[in-house]
Amino acid sequence: ASAKVDIAFTTGQEEFIQLSVYDMLGRNVKHVMSNTMASGRHTFEWDLTDQSGNRVISGIYFVRYNASGHTETSKIVVR
């Protein structure tokens, strides 16, 4: 199994995007990126580490995508 997860999202216009990973208790595990992105489809790689660089334990995590006040959350299962 690869030690990474690809996080894909699509923007309809150029906007400021924030991606963060949270655990089941809602704690921020890692801030993946904050950047202004052009419109289109984008993919970011999460290396399954926390903010300190430690490998996260197996379990369910949530990726929160925030763009111009619009938020989406998706689930990731780490084995």
Side-chain angles (χ1 to χ4, degrees), residues 26-77:
R27 294 178 296 209
N28 187 309
V29 173
K30 186 164 190 176
H31 182 72
V32 179
M33 60 85 62
S34 291
N35 208 354
T36 299
M37 305 295 295
S39 65
R41 184 164 173 78
H42 305 280
T43 304
F44 275 86
E45 188 177 281
W46 176 38
D47 59 4
L48 304 181
T49 62
D50 64 16
Q51 206 65 41
S52 300
N54 301 310
R55 172 72 156 76
V56 298
I57 61 171
S58 297
I60 296 173
Y61 293 85
F62 297 94
V63 176
R64 184 171 296 150
Y65 160 89
N66 190 347
S68 304
H70 173 75
T71 300
E72 291 180 25
T73 303
S74 58
K75 181 170 75 171
I76 293 176
V77 177

